Structure formats: C-alpha cells, structure tokens
Amino acid sequence: MLNRYITNFIVTKNSKKYDAIVIGSGISGMFAALNIDKKKKILLISKSNLSNNNSNLAQGGVAVTIKGKNIQDHVDDTLKAGSFHNELEVVKATIEDSNEIVDLLLEYNVPFDKEESGNLLFTKEGGHSSRRIIHARDKTGEIIIEYLIAELAKRDNIAVYDNCFAIDILTNKNVASGLVIDNDSKKEVILSNNIVLATGGIGNLFINSTNSDISNGDGIAMAKRAGAELYDMEFVQFHPTALNIAGTNKFLISEAVRGEGGILYNSQNERFMEKIHPLKDLAPRDVVSKAIYMEYKKGNEVYLDVRHLDNEYIKDRFPKIYNHCYENNIDITKELIPVAPVQHYFMGGIKTDLSAKTTVENLYAVGECARTGLHGANRLASNSLLEGAVFGLRAAKHINEKEISKDKINNYEYKNELVCDESDYELLEKKIKNIMSENAFIIRKENELLESSEAINKLINDIAKYNCDTRKKCEVINMVTVSSEIIESAYSRKESLGSHNIENV
Ligand SMILES: Cc1cc2nc3c(=O)[nH]c(=O)nc-3n(C[C@H](O)[C@H](O)[C@H](O)COP(=O)(O)OP(=O)(O)OC[C@H]3O[C@@H](n4cnc5c(N)ncnc54)[C@H](O)[C@@H]3O)c2cc1C
C-alpha cells in the first residue's frame, strides 16, 4: 500500500495562494487557463518546457462539426469506434461544443489549412464516415500549441512555472486545497480551491510509445492518492502505424496518411485488411492494430505504401512525416514505410462529469488524464484534441461560476516515517515497462495479467516505504501506481471489448 502522500511538506501562512492552479500546458491545460475569468489569479505549471507534450505531437487534426452539420454522423462514428462503451450524453455534448472550439481556435489565430476560397479544409481518418478533421498540414498540434503559448503570453493574470513538477494534491475530507511541487529542486506548497489536472497520457509505461517523455500518468496517480475515482483503466489504445526502424524512437505515421489513400501490405504483398473489416485500411485503430500484430505473429512484416500518390502532394501535405522518414533513409515517395503498432493513447483515467469535476471536490481533470466517457473502449481518431479543448473550456466555465473563497490558512506540517533509499529507480522503471509491454499489450492473457499483478504489487510494497525526495522517484511511484490500476482493470474485464483483447488460457 502506498502512503497518502509520497513526500513530506509544510503549509505556512506565507504559502502562495491562487484562484486556480492548472497542471499541464497541453491543449486541455491551455484551454482551461485561457478561459478562466481574466480577473482570477491563475498559476499554470508544466513539468518540462511549455511545448513538450503530446498535444504538440498531434499530426492528424481536430475532428469537428461546423455549424451543427452532421452531428449525428460524428456521434455514430464515435460510438462505433468506442464499441458503444461510451456515454452518449458526453459524446453528444462534446461534438455539439466543437463549433465553439473552432471559433476559439480561429480567435487565437491558429492557421488551419484552407481552400483558396478561405473555407477550412477537412481530412478523414480511420472510423470517420466523412471528412471532418481540420488540420495544419501534419503539424496540427505543434501549430495549435505555438498559438496558445502566444495567447498565454498576453495574459497578465496567468503566472507560469515551467520545468516544475507537481508531486501531490493536498486534500482535507475529500476537498482539494493545494499542491506540493518540486520547483527547481525546492519543495513548495501552493494553495488553491480550484485545481485542474491536465497532465496527459501514460506512454512511458510501455517500452514503445508515440508519446512525449512527459507521459508517466503523474496526474492519474496523484488523483488516486487524493481519493479520486478512476475508471476504464483497461482501455489503452495502440496505434497501428508507428515507423518501425530498430533503434529509433517510435515516430507516428499519422492515420491521415491512410485517410489520404495510403495502403497497408504485408511482406507477402497482400492487402490483408481487405479480409478483416469492410472499412479495410481505414477500420478503427483497435482493429488495424490487432491485424498488424497478428501479421507479425505469423512472421510477416507490415508496410504502408503511398508511392501511388502524387509526390509533390505527399511532401506538401505530410512534410513532418516525409522529412522524418527521409532522415531515416526512407524516401516515402519511392519506398515502402515499415510500420508496427505501439502504445499511443489512454481512454481510461480520472473519472469526471460534464463539467470536468472529479469525485474530489475542487479537483478537475481534463484531456488525456481524464476519463470523460467520450471515447468508450477505443478512441475515434482526432477526437482527443477536441476532448481536451472542450473539457478545458468546461472546467474553466465551472470555475468562473464559483465565488473566490477567502479561506484562512493554518500552518500545517505533514511528516511520515518514510526513509530515503538509493534503489536503482532506472532499473525499477525498466521492470515496469517490461511487465506492461509483455503482458498488457494488444493481446492480454488472463494468467499473464495475474502474474503481472503480483509482480507490480511486489514493486509497490518494495518502494512504498521510501520518501520521494527526487523527481525520478516520484515518477516511478506514479508509473507503478497507474500500471497496477491498468493490470487490475484488465484482469477484471473477462471479455474482449474495443482496445482490450483478452485470451483466457
Ligand atoms: C504522436 C501523437 C499524435 C497524435 N495525433 C493526434 C491527432 O491528430 N488528433 C488528436 O485529436 N489527437 C492526437 N493525439 C492525441 C492527443 O495529442 C493527446 O491526447 C492530447 O494532446 C492530450 O492533451 P493533454 O492536454 O491532455 O496532454 P498533453 O498535451 O500531453 O500535456 C500534458 C501536460 O502535463 C504536464 N505534466 C504532466 N505531469 C506533470 C507533473 N507531474 N507536473 C507538472 N506538469 C505535468 C506536461 O508537462 C504537459 O505540459 C496524438 C498523440 C500523439 C502522441
């Protein structure tokens, strides 16, 4: 059992107080911070630089409905991709809000790709029945974050701490009241009656992931220690097409490449997706990932072919992908792209309602760390930037409706019996990644999940007695906490659903 707090701290009358603290500078944290009333004093913290996050890596785009057109089709596609495990009310509300999100993004001057007439251009990805994804070539996330950072710089009411690590949320009787941070290796307590977790995904729990190196599931672990309910933790999305070159990081080859006509082949030159799903290469991600995984199990390699598309179009539409592959000695206009599935996204997380409220009062969760009910058992492509923006905005609106409270601050010291240790935390991290990559990947076996659960619980017991006096220790504690929750949930769900494929052996 892990302690309630993983580090000691002191609250004093001099502790800084904010009307709201937002943890995370991805799309969800930025939308929350930028839309909280300008009269309120806000602190935004980010554990790396402001643009190191999964939002910045998004290539495909944002799935939206303009002027209320075809809402029902977008709802249907989202439900189908999510194996109908989604919450209908949340799906409808998110898609209905997309109009407002597009207006805000355009107000922040984000230069989306447009037709000569000035209308927005739309693309398509797997599982979408029509073209509804707005994009900025294949750098949509990078460009959105650049313009949100520019907007942030205009706001005098928002203080920013970058390279600052959030350790734990302070609570009193299920009410959040502050945060312990590690700022420049100095521990500090900051107080607030509104705390927004926007800490992103869990990619670092796996050996291979498309995610940024910030993705340890910190916010989910912090919320768990604070007593917040987690939900749908078994649903991890594996992206079918990461660039598969040994020794390189797993770079994403966006689904939009298949959306624009890219075709999957195995090393026998077969279009294997034709036999698997009516949507073929554009079947939902869980289906394509599993199919590619099975090809590798049979001893085949898998490739994505775009050689039949116009060369200049490829370079112009997918400059990031073209250049990255070229730097790795693959000219995608002339050669096949080797691809394999890797961890990509997390549908589970901190349970929230339609206002992004968690089950702990004053604590909100938005974006990939939240489980809103939008995605169900598998996320529809390009619905996550939308979710981050919609729920960031919804959290902000809820906070705006609250009175600014003027609580009295009492000095308080938390000290536990934890001791310092010199365990090799890099090695512990490797063990976690091995367990998750071997036993909680695309096909899960009941007996292996059971073994993993024992191994993870042993790791928790080994490290629970130590004080987290470094950021690395905190991250590893968070990783083991979230891994344990994923494995327990995967073991509890006995039938395959969406991204969770279970074999009872
Ligand atoms: C390669 C790639 C391509 C993608 N393409 C698309 C796409 O085309 N369309 C789409 O809709 N989705 C896409 N996604 C998914 C989407 O980008 C993410 O789900 C979304 O951006 C998550 O946003 P977020 O705000 O929740 O988290 P992030 O953008 O990951 O931001 C998390 C923030 O939390 C901070 N943080 C984390 N822990 C701490 C801590 N302990 N203390 C302080 N700060 C902390 C980080 O520093 C970071 O600023 C893609 C994802 C990847 C990886």
Side-chain angles (χ1 to χ4, degrees), residues 240-241 264 272 288-296 302 339-341:
T241 57
L264 288 165
F272 57 94
V288 185
S289 289
K290 191 172 164 191
I292 297 180
Y293 177 83
M294 296 315 286
E295 287 298 321
Y296 275 95
V302 175
V339 290

Side-chain angles (χ1 to χ4, degrees), residues 70-106:
N70 300 331
I71 288 185
Q72 192 55 46
D73 291 351
H74 194 168
V75 169
D76 290 344
D77 292 347
T78 302
L79 295 175
K80 251 186 249 164
S83 299
F84 299 91
H85 184 69
N86 330 53
E87 284 182 25
L88 182 59
E89 190 193 6
V90 176
V91 177
K92 278 188 181 158
T94 308
I95 293 167
E96 278 164 10
D97 281 3
S98 65
N99 220 350
E100 192 178 354
I101 296 304
V102 176
D103 287 347
L104 270 172
L105 286 166
L106 294 176

Side-chain angles (χ1 to χ4, degrees), residues 88-292:
L88 182 59
E89 190 193 6
V90 176
V91 177
K92 278 188 181 158
T94 308
I95 293 167
E96 278 164 10
D97 281 3
S98 65
N99 220 350
E100 192 178 354
I101 296 304
V102 176
D103 287 347
L104 270 172
L105 286 166
L106 294 176
E107 200 181 304
Y108 300 146
N109 299 312
V110 179
F112 288 108
D113 292 348
K114 291 188 177 147
E115 295 168 346
E116 271 175 24
S117 63
N119 291 330
L120 286 165
L121 263 173
F122 296 91
T123 189
K124 193 174 174 183
E125 293 184 60
H128 288 274
S129 57
S130 65
R131 288 183 165 259
R132 62 166 75 94
I133 298 164
I134 54 171
H135 53 87
R137 292 187 290 163
D138 61 353
K139 299 179 182 179
T140 309
E142 191 180 317
I143 291 174
I144 290 178
I145 291 297
E146 181 189 331
Y147 281 79
L148 294 181
I149 292 175
E151 196 60 33
L152 195 73
K154 297 180 197 160
R155 306 295 177 93
D156 295 336
N157 64 320
I158 308 177
V160 175
Y161 286 180
D162 57 5
N163 295 301
C164 168
F165 186 79
I167 302 175
D168 254 323
I169 301 151
L170 307 184
T171 49
N172 186 8
K173 297 194 183 124
N174 204 41
V175 181
S177 56
L179 193 66
V180 192
I181 56 173
D182 174 335
N183 198 8
D184 239 352
S185 299
K186 277 207 311 275
K187 234 182 284 161
E188 199 181 318
V189 165
I190 37 177
L191 302 169
S192 179
N193 288 320
N194 293 298
I195 297 181
V196 184
L197 285 165
T199 50
I202 58 149
N204 284 346
L205 304 188
F206 291 80
I207 296 170
N208 293 318
S209 168
T210 57
N211 286 192
S212 132
D213 60 5
I214 55 95
S215 315
N216 291 319
D218 291 333
I220 300 171
M222 277 190 265
K224 165 85 189 161
R225 289 193 291 275
E229 215 176 301
L230 308 182
Y231 209 66
D232 278 349
M233 294 293 286
E234 63 272 40
F235 298 117
V236 179
Q237 183 170 82
F238 301 95
H239 198 289
T241 57
L243 181 63
N244 188 26
I245 305 178
T248 63
N249 289 331
K250 295 299 173 195
F251 177 81
L252 177 77
I253 307 293
S254 167
E255 196 160 332
V257 173
R258 277 173 287 134
E260 299 292 352
I263 297 170
L264 288 165
Y265 287 96
N266 64 16
S267 32
Q268 312 301 319
N269 211 23
E270 288 164 342
R271 287 191 67 176
F272 57 94
M273 283 310 301
E274 289 190 338
K275 288 184 237 143
I276 290 178
H277 197 277
L279 289 172
K280 300 176 197 166
D281 301 299
L282 282 174
R285 281 183 188 172
D286 54 332
V287 178
V288 185
S289 289
K290 191 172 164 191
I292 297 180

Side-chain angles (χ1 to χ4, degrees), residues 243-245 253 257 261-265 269 302-311 314-315 321-339:
L243 181 63
N244 188 26
I245 305 178
I253 307 293
V257 173
I263 297 170
L264 288 165
Y265 287 96
N269 211 23
V302 175
Y303 300 96
L304 187 55
D305 189 4
V306 293
R307 294 170 303 175
H308 53 289
L309 302 178
D310 180 76
N311 291 354
I314 292 175
K315 289 183 200 169
I321 294 171
Y322 175 80
N323 288 329
H324 185 91
C325 291
Y326 199 79
E327 282 157 18
N328 283 284
N329 304 317
I330 301 169
D331 179 347
I332 66 173
T333 62
K334 299 191 181 72
E335 291 164 284
L336 294 168
I337 313 169
V339 290

Side-chain angles (χ1 to χ4, degrees), residues 23-29 45-50 52-63 125 140 164-167 198-201 210-212 214-215 218-219 222 252 254 344-345 366-369 379 381-386 388 478:
I23 311 164
S25 59
I27 191 164
S28 60
I45 77 171
S46 176
K47 83 186 210 184
S48 181
N49 59 58
L50 290 185
N52 179 10
N53 46 54
N54 282 348
S55 300
N56 192 63
L57 297 176
Q59 297 175 351
V62 193
E125 293 184 60
T140 309
C164 168
F165 186 79
I167 302 175
T199 50
T210 57
N211 286 192
S212 132
I214 55 95
S215 315
D218 291 333
M222 277 190 265
L252 177 77
S254 167
H344 182 59
Y345 183 78
V366 295
E368 196 168 339
C369 70
R379 170 185 67 127
S382 285
N383 261 355
S384 44
L385 288 175
L386 175 66
N478 290 341

